[in-house]
Amino acid sequence: MKIHEYQAKRLFAKYDIPIPEGGVAETPEEARKIAARLGVPVVVKAQVLVGGRGKAGGIRLSSNPDDAASCAAKILGMEIKGLTVKKVLIDEAADIQDELYLGVVLDRANRRVVMMGSSEGGVDIEEVAASTPEKIVRATIDPLLGLRDFQARELAYGIGLDKNVIRAFGVIAHSLYRAYMENDASLAEINPLVVTGDGKLLAVDGKMNIDDSGLFRHLNIEAMRDIGAEDESERHARAADLSYVELDGEIGCMVNGAGLAMATMDIVKLYGSEPANFLDIGGGAQAEKVAEALRIILRDPRVKAVLFNIFGGITRGDEVACGILEALEELDTDVPMVARIVGTRAEEGRQLLADAEMITAGSLRDAAQKAVAAARGELG
Ligand code: GDP
Ligand code: MN
């Protein structure tokens, strides 16, 4: 689960990480009041659950309350990466001398939590990693020992911090690590962590993702969920208890089982295309759930073909077929669909789909090839 910048920063503040004073507004008038209360130049920031707001024009500096109101009017309602801005954060503007990066993430390959620092803050860290990887300093954290003081110091020296902020940096590093661990986060990031004109450190931006599997232990965070701000497809998927991850490709995939879903994505790539999503409908999916999954897949305009790969066990092939047909009755689509169903009641399922003139396949290889061909308009 993602939380907004203002929520992440308030959480960070509970761990004694310094953040700017500010407030959240949903209207220009509220923005004006917050700016007037702060009584200093402010920064008006779009609160959407994606990064890169600065580049998209979602962050503006303003010197007085009237200007803050008009900045808020411009930002509210704006679309950033497909999400509509419904809230803005009005923060005391920081006097920025230097922008640093500090983040905690899980390094799955090493099975360790890693803290990363960089002198190149304020820009996309993926960009830094790609163009100047030597500018990212890492500390691999032992789960039993936690972040050690020497590691925080190594990070500080590694990113070339000035002597007089090294102590403060150490405190922030420990705090961020605690915030990450205690909240079952999968990411906790301050980008930029700024050095201000008067030589202090300040978390100007904050980002935090919480591991969904740990959410039941953090009702305070679950309560932060801003349903209206979440991606529509992800919201529908969660409501239907589907595991769905949107990707960049063109083959929509509907599969039962996470491992099978990954194998399906691999084989789509093997035959020269890219999957549009990861979608696991889970075991024993009923027709209505299948229908909802298909609706979610088809909502993505990039999808040029759909590949169903169903391994019937508890899930029944004919039940899945009914779901597909049910969804197709109400969906007006000409996206070609290829189905491969094996296992429990596969024959019945295949027959139902064949009768509805859907493309069926005998093997996964056959199905993937047909789906890729269909996406290119080379089939049927
Ligand atoms: P993001 O683009 O979504 O990551 O949003 P950020 O909160 O990181 O802001 C992007 C950039 O806007 C920062 O790297 C800063 O350069 C600038 N910025 C943000 N807040 C302030 C501020 O209070 N004062 C100044 N001068 N610049 C700011
Ligand atoms: Mn940022």
Side-chain angles (χ1 to χ4, degrees), residues 5 9 43-47 53 58-59 87-89 204-205:
E5 173 198 359
K9 288 202 299 204
V43 56
V44 182
K45 310 181 77 175
Q47 297 298 290
R53 297 162 303 161
I59 294 181
K87 291 177 189 157
V88 286
L89 172 64
V204 156
D205 192 10

Side-chain angles (χ1 to χ4, degrees), residues 5 9 20 42-43 45-46 50-56 59 61 91-96 99 121-123 191-192 194 202 204-206:
E5 173 198 359
K9 288 202 299 204
V42 295
V43 56
K45 310 181 77 175
V50 287
R53 297 162 303 161
K55 271 188 209 155
I59 294 181
L61 286 164
D91 261 358
E92 194 176 318
D95 169 19
I96 299 181
E99 303 197 25
V123 288
N191 186 24
V194 309
L202 189 65
V204 156
D205 192 10

Side-chain angles (χ1 to χ4, degrees), residues 103-124:
V104 185
V105 287
L106 179 64
D107 178 351
R108 288 174 192 277
N110 275 320
R111 293 180 286 174
R112 286 283 189 276
V113 170
V114 168
M115 180 168 274
M116 294 191 296
S118 176
S119 55
E120 307 302 294
V123 288
D124 212 346

